[in-house]
């Protein structure tokens, strides 16, 4: 499915399509990007293992988390796993490029994925992060949900690989994404 444009107005439909696809295809894990917890909470009672990947600590402001501890505890109480860590498609390379200028390989990879939309880049990133954290099984297709700025507008079936072998990651199917982005 293609949404007319990117943005949070697509969140509910993205979640519905992702959960429906997971049930139809027998996919057991859903990884979702959520910087406030709002999108993740829509997956409550979906009948799947849910991993929530937040923005890294200091993303918006040095030393500060965007998602509050109360929300993290609420998500965990729902049975979700919550992961916060260095973004695999920026991390230290972004610090180097900000300090010294230029563009580095991981940033090129991220920008290349954005050619399919911000949500596709996010889906790849969070699925690799969740795999590296040991929160999803290796060698299994999962559904990853990402978005553009806030909310969700993209869902993909993906078989992630570890960051150390990221080019082995396979995007199997795009369930939904924005047409204009």
């Amino acid at each position: 499915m293609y949404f007319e444009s990117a943005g949070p107005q697509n969140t509910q439909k993205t979640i519905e399509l992702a959960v429906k696809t997971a049930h139809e295809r027998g996919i057991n894990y859903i990884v979702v990007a959520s910087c406030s917890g709002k999108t993740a909470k829509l997956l409550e009672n979906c009948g799947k293992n849910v991993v929530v990947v937040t923005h890294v600590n200091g993303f918006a402001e040095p030393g500060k988390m965007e998602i509050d501890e109360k929300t993290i505890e609420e998500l965990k109480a729902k049975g979700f796993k919550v992961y916060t860590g260095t973004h695999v498609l920026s991390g230290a390379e972004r610090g180097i490029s900000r300090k010294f200028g230029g563009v580095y390989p991981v940033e090129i990879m991220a920008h290349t994925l954005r050619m399919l939309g911000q949500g596709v880049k996010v889906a790849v990133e969070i699925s690799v992060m969740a795999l590296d954290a040991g929160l999803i099984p290796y060698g299994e297709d999962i559904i990853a949900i990402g978005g553009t700025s806030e909310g969700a507008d993209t869902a993909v079936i993906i078989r992630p690989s570890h960051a150390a072998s990221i080019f082995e990651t396979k995007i199997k199917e795009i369930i939904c994404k924005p047409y204009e982005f």
Side-chain angles (χ1 to χ4, degrees):
M1 169 168 209
Y2 292 100
F3 297 116
E4 191 172 312
S5 60
Q9 70 277 8
N10 303 312
T11 301
Q12 187 64 46
K13 187 66 175 175
T14 299
I15 298 296
E16 290 169 11
L17 290 168
V19 171
K20 178 178 183 267
T21 301
H23 285 287
E24 289 173 353
R25 306 284 180 83
I27 294 172
N28 296 313
Y29 288 83
I30 297 175
V31 178
V32 61
S34 192
C35 56
S36 70
K38 185 177 174 184
T39 299
K41 288 178 182 178
L42 296 174
L43 288 161
E44 185 176 12
N45 301 317
C46 72
K48 299 296 174 181
N49 299 298
V50 177
V51 177
V52 181
V53 178
T54 72
H55 271 159
V56 67
N57 184 33
F59 183 85
E61 182 182 341
K64 301 285 184 190
M65 284 289 292
E66 287 179 276
I67 190 169
D68 60 72
E69 192 61 39
K70 180 181 177 219
T71 302
I72 290 172
E73 292 309 315
E74 288 173 7
L75 294 170
K76 288 179 178 178
K78 295 177 188 307
F80 297 170
K81 295 175 184 172
V82 180
Y83 178 73
T84 301
T86 301
H87 291 174
V88 75
L89 294 178
S90 60
E93 276 198 355
R94 184 169 292 158
I96 294 168
S97 66
R98 284 179 178 162
K99 179 77 172 174
F100 300 107
V103 177
Y104 296 85
V106 172
E107 290 178 299
I108 293 169
M109 185 185 315
H111 282 281
T112 301
L113 286 166
R114 285 187 187 102
M115 292 171 70
L116 294 166
Q118 177 68 13
V120 172
K121 189 279 293 187
V122 169
V124 169
E125 187 166 48
I126 64 174
S127 64
V128 170
M129 291 167 68
L131 181 63
D132 275 358
L135 301 175
I136 58 174
Y138 176 77
E140 191 172 309
D141 291 349
I142 65 151
I143 291 181
I145 301 170
T148 306
S149 189
E150 63 181 74
D153 57 24
T154 303
V156 301
I157 298 174
I158 186 168
R159 182 170 293 171
S161 194
H162 294 287
S165 57
I166 195 164
F167 287 112
E168 300 303 314
T169 296
K170 305 297 181 208
I171 300 170
K172 301 282 192 89
E173 182 178 329
I174 296 173
I175 298 165
C176 60
K177 70 179 272 313
Y179 184 79
E180 294 291 341
F181 54 90

